[in-house]
Amino acid sequence: MEKEILPFGDEWEKKEKIDRELFVKLGNQGFLGINHKEGVGGSDADIFYTVAYLEEIARCGYAGVAAAISVHQYMATNHLANAGSAFIKEKFLKPSVSGKMVGAIAISEPGAGSDVANLATTAVKEGDFYIINGSKTFITNGHFGDFVVVACYGRSHVTCRVLCRGSQSGLIQSSAYYYTSSLYSVIFFFFNDTATTEIYTRSLVGSVRCV
């Protein structure tokens, strides 16, 4: 932290963007894998390693840095580790543990906040694709993530799917503004009738039945 974060924090604030190289350095030193299995490049350490690690990250004083790292490692990739297929773990999880890819997560919506039971974004299966319609906001790492784990509602299930930036995903990004002293972009993603998203069924991470 004292060598790789504190000397650059103010510069990142001015740029309103964290240096991607930080994730690579964390990956090279094994930090991004302490909560993941050895099969994907992690060390499968116990929870106390995570507690100490996150406390040290928070000590840097830059809330945006702490949020970017923890959301990548304990939210976006955590879903891939717990419910992802072998394909998803190979394509997204392994590079995330090494720091070569950065993950974002899209749950919150303009009309529902983070209330997962009232999500309005839908995913409808049509053949080998899912058609996604809806909107997401407050997406941590949304401005530079390589992929986004998107929570959707499909029939009676809340599901997560992985969308890869740069693919033919129909994803529209709008950066509204930046919070001062947080490096935390307010990002909106829109999936609507003018930008319908078609993604392959193998992008499905997992589902939870709503009752």
Side-chain angles (χ1 to χ4, degrees), residues 9-193:
D10 290 341
E11 179 184 351
W12 296 340
E13 289 279 1
K14 292 178 182 179
K15 291 182 178 179
E16 299 179 331
K17 189 175 183 180
I18 301 168
D19 191 342
R20 284 285 298 265
E21 188 64 23
L22 174 62
F23 288 88
V24 176
K25 291 177 179 178
L26 287 168
N28 287 341
Q29 295 183 43
F31 289 117
L32 296 181
I34 61 174
N35 58 315
H36 292 299
K37 300 293 184 183
E38 293 181 4
V40 295
S43 55
D44 199 17
D46 64 44
I47 187 63
F48 295 104
Y49 281 84
T50 285
V51 172
Y53 167 63
L54 291 180
E55 284 183 347
E56 286 300 307
I57 294 296
R59 283 183 58 238
C60 74
Y62 296 101
V65 173
I69 295 171
S70 58
V71 166
H72 163 78
Q73 186 169 353
Y74 292 94
M75 295 184 72
T77 60
N78 199 49
H79 288 295
L80 307 187
N82 290 330
S85 63
F87 165 77
I88 285 178
K89 290 178 180 178
E90 186 67 29
K91 184 173 178 62
F92 297 103
L93 183 55
K94 283 187 176 182
S96 296
V97 170
S98 69
K100 295 178 180 178
M101 294 187 79
V102 176
I105 190 162
I107 296 177
S108 299
E109 297 183 351
S114 299
D115 182 1
V116 195
N118 288 300
L119 293 179
T121 300
T122 59
V124 179
K125 186 176 181 181
E126 291 190 10
D128 293 331
F129 293 90
Y130 285 106
I131 309 300
I132 296 181
N133 282 281
S135 57
K136 297 291 182 180
T137 187
F138 298 108
I139 304 165
T140 305
N141 295 341
H143 56 306
F144 64 45
D146 298 291
F147 63 90
V148 188
V149 178
V150 183
C152 311
Y153 189 79
R155 294 187 179 180
S156 60
H157 292 75
V158 173
T159 62
C160 286
R161 289 167 179 81
V162 182
L163 274 66
C164 187
R165 185 184 300 279
S167 64
Q168 295 179 349
S169 63
L171 180 150
I172 297 178
Q173 173 181 320
S174 173
S175 179
Y177 58 88
Y178 290 85
Y179 286 122
T180 303
S181 299
S182 72
L183 294 167
Y184 190 61
S185 292
V186 179
I187 301 291
F188 295 87
F189 284 165
F190 300 98
F191 315 96
N192 52 40
D193 291 337

